[in-house]
Amino acid sequence: MELIINSAENRIEAYEGTEIVGKLEYTIAEQTLTIEHTFAYKEGCGVGKKLVLKAIELAQDNKLKISSHCSFAQVIIDRQ
């Protein structure tokens, strides 16, 4: 699975080959990356978790705080 940060669209996309299997939408404001929505189009392979972990990494790399409006993402953040 390949994760691509699409900063122009404020999202992270997950691909298996050429097929998009998930995406995470975020906003950045006031030094905080906020996860708005997480979508997994393929179940059982950890797409959602991988997307959230990539968003956490993106925030850390850019010295941003992280928050979430997405309840799924919040559970992953709380476990970190």
Side-chain angles (χ1 to χ4, degrees):
M1 180 178 312
E2 182 179 11
L3 298 176
I4 297 173
I5 298 171
N6 182 341
S7 56
E9 299 288 330
N10 284 347
R11 67 181 179 215
I12 302 170
E13 302 160 345
Y15 288 90
E16 281 191 351
T18 59
E19 177 186 7
I20 189 163
V21 294
K23 69 179 178 180
L24 178 147
E25 298 173 344
Y26 64 87
T27 57
I28 296 177
E30 300 177 15
Q31 297 297 310
T32 302
L33 184 148
T34 301
I35 299 172
E36 301 294 341
H37 302 286
T38 305
F39 302 94
Y41 307 125
K42 188 172 185 179
E43 293 183 22
C45 58
V47 175
K49 182 177 181 178
K50 290 174 185 174
L51 287 164
V52 173
L53 293 176
K54 189 68 171 179
I56 292 169
E57 179 183 313
L58 177 63
Q60 291 171 339
D61 289 350
N62 290 282
K63 297 179 177 42
L64 301 170
K65 297 176 189 170
I66 190 145
S67 68
S68 181
H69 293 157
C70 171
S71 58
F72 172 81
Q74 190 61 53
V75 169
I76 303 301
I77 292 167
D78 290 345
R79 291 180 182 166
Q80 294 304 303

